[in-house]
Amino acid sequence: MWREAIGRLAEERTLEKEDFLVLMEELPREGEQELFRRARETARSVFGREIYVRGLIEISNVCRNNCYYCGIRRGNREADRYRLSREEILACCGNGYSLGFRTFVLQGGEDPAQDDRWVEETVAAIRMRYPDCAVTLSLGEKTREAYRRFREAGADRYLLRHETADPVHYAKLHPAEMSYENRIRCLWDLKELGYQVGTGFMVGSPYQTLDTIWEDLQLIKKLRPEMIGIGPYLVHHGTPFAGRKNGSMIWTLRLLAIFRLLYPEVLLPSTTALNTIHPEGRSLGILAGANVLMPNLGPAERREKYELYDHKRSTGGEAAEGIRLLETILGKIGYTISASRGDYGEHGVH
């Protein structure tokens, strides 16, 4: 049965729920390797053996939200808070540019001090100094007007995980002042404003089931984002979910492969969370069909403070200084780093 399920997925680019359940629950080791092989071949047919790198800059770990799963939640009084100045961010971009990065990802909590005007002016400053680079934002829920201003200032992409497509599940992961409807509104606003949109979810988050993951797949089918970011849920001790189990690496890898086969042209990161849960997680993600890595360009002394989950990897290949190490790691599995911006559409993607 699993052979037929993989065949339909790889050849028809469609997935029925029955086949999805087989791939997630009933796949033997042999079938898993076949799934990953087909996903790998599909990624190579579109992107070759190049892996895009994005320079990640974690600009603030201050957040007004109190999400139950997140280590930088407002209610975590143990967090050592920081925020980068615009000058520090531009310095990070300069360092990244000299290393060959042509995409900068500004990620942070929803920090009231870094308000919409500040973000807009920061994007404009990066755009002015590095006009040949792409600017990606991952700064949470904003108004449509704010997203429009960021776009006009020069932001190309926006990453906003929907986290779950099930409103009941969403309410179990977030406090009452946050709403599933607003999260989805943000994603459609971003799409309509012309951003390259990234969304995704944590694999194995509390109360998640295969039924809720199936709903995630249906939302992504409707939204058709340019990037799908998934990684295993990892516990943080300073949250209400402390003591829960981490998410499954295997389910994460299977879902990466499924997304690659469903959407051959999509940008698919192998995440830091995946590399945190397993020492070779980064490489395993690429071998399951991923084609994007996000080394950290932020100041070394701040990286450990942006702790969304426990034991986050923030050195070695996760740091921008480790770019040569990253090249060596990728070389061992037959891949190279691409200095391209890696725009959606660059390989004839529609």
Side-chain angles (χ1 to χ4, degrees):
M1 184 178 288
W2 61 263
R3 288 185 176 85
E4 290 78 5
I6 293 174
R8 283 188 288 269
L9 175 60
E11 293 156 22
E12 301 173 16
R13 310 293 182 205
T14 60
L15 183 66
E16 298 298 328
K17 190 170 184 180
E18 181 181 354
D19 285 347
F20 167 71
L21 295 175
V22 168
L23 296 178
M24 296 301 289
E25 290 187 305
E26 302 175 21
L27 204 58
R29 178 68 174 169
E30 177 188 2
E32 192 172 77
Q33 293 308 306
E34 174 67 8
L35 177 67
F36 296 161
R37 182 186 68 80
R38 299 289 287 266
R40 224 171 21 248
E41 289 177 351
T42 299
R44 289 173 183 170
S45 72
V46 178
F47 302 100
R49 290 179 176 267
E50 292 187 334
I51 302 299
Y52 295 132
V53 291
R54 279 57 166 112
L56 178 65
I57 306 171
E58 294 162 335
I59 67 173
S60 173
N61 72 344
V62 179
C63 190
R64 64 186 177 89
N65 293 327
N66 214 14
C67 305
Y68 301 149
Y69 51 82
C70 183
I72 65 170
R73 64 196 302 267
R74 183 183 72 238
N76 180 14
R77 302 193 183 281
E78 296 179 13
D80 186 1
R81 306 292 181 176
Y82 75 90
R83 62 174 59 94
L84 301 185
S85 68
R86 184 173 299 138
E87 291 69 29
E88 287 176 304
I89 292 168
L90 288 168
C92 293
C93 293
N95 178 45
Y97 195 88
S98 67
L99 289 167
F101 289 85
R102 293 299 179 265
T103 296
F104 304 124
V105 181
L106 275 55
Q107 182 181 65
E110 294 187 21
D111 185 346
Q114 294 177 336
D115 61 18
D116 295 346
R117 174 172 287 185
W118 184 91
V119 173
E120 180 183 5
E121 292 173 352
T122 301
V123 170
I126 296 171
R127 171 63 64 212
M128 182 175 293
R129 194 170 296 188
Y130 305 104
D132 57 329
C133 294
V135 179
T136 301
L137 301 178
S138 182
L139 302 175
E141 298 178 6
K142 304 285 185 179
T143 65
R144 184 184 180 95
E145 175 63 12
Y147 289 145
R148 184 190 63 77
R149 288 165 54 188
F150 302 162
R151 183 85 176 100
E152 291 184 355
D156 304 278
R157 305 165 180 157
Y158 204 102
L159 310 180
L160 180 65
R161 285 185 173 181
H162 65 276
E163 299 301 2
T164 176
D166 178 350
V168 175
H169 185 212
Y170 188 93
K172 292 180 178 180
L173 300 178
H174 302 88
E177 65 263 23
M178 298 182 69
S179 78
Y180 169 80
E181 291 74 19
N182 193 58
R183 182 65 59 96
I184 299 305
R185 185 273 303 168
C186 289
L187 286 167
W188 283 109
D189 281 352
L190 290 163
K191 194 79 172 174
E192 291 166 7
L193 288 166
Y195 283 90
Q196 295 178 36
V197 176
T199 194
F201 55 93
M202 301 172 293
V203 180
S205 63
Y207 309 107
Q208 187 185 63
T209 66
L210 284 175
D211 286 334
T212 60
I213 295 177
W214 176 251
E215 292 305 314
D216 292 322
L217 268 66
Q218 303 319 297
L219 173 63
I220 287 169
K221 183 178 180 180
K222 293 176 185 174
L223 186 69
R224 293 304 292 251
E226 285 75 20
M227 177 180 279
I228 302 170
I230 62 169
Y233 163 73
L234 298 179
V235 173
H236 190 282
H237 66 277
T239 72
F241 294 149
R244 295 260 180 176
K245 291 184 178 180
N246 286 334
S248 165
M249 181 186 73
I250 293 302
W251 273 20
T252 303
L253 294 174
R254 290 182 187 182
L255 283 163
L256 283 172
I258 287 169
F259 280 127
R260 173 58 65 209
L261 291 172
L262 282 173
Y263 311 113
E265 307 91 351
V266 81
L267 300 171
L268 204 57
S270 185
T271 63
T272 300
L274 192 54
N275 208 47
T276 297
I277 204 171
H278 190 282
E280 296 180 7
R282 178 198 301 109
S283 298
L284 293 172
I286 290 167
L287 292 173
N291 72 314
V292 176
L293 295 174
M294 295 189 183
N296 200 320
L297 283 176
E301 67 275 12
R302 306 288 179 82
R303 291 176 195 152
E304 291 185 2
K305 297 180 182 181
Y306 197 84
E307 190 181 66
L308 305 181
Y309 43 79
D310 289 338
H311 313 301
K312 172 191 169 187
R313 290 211 168 195
S314 57
T315 58
E318 292 304 335
E321 301 89 285
I323 197 73
R324 301 297 168 248
L325 171 61
L326 204 53
E327 288 177 335
T328 300
I329 291 169
L330 291 174
K332 289 179 179 178
I333 58 174
Y335 289 84
T336 61
I337 286 176
S338 171
S340 164
R341 285 172 37 136
D343 283 312
Y344 189 81
E346 188 170 299
H347 294 268
V349 179
H350 301 292

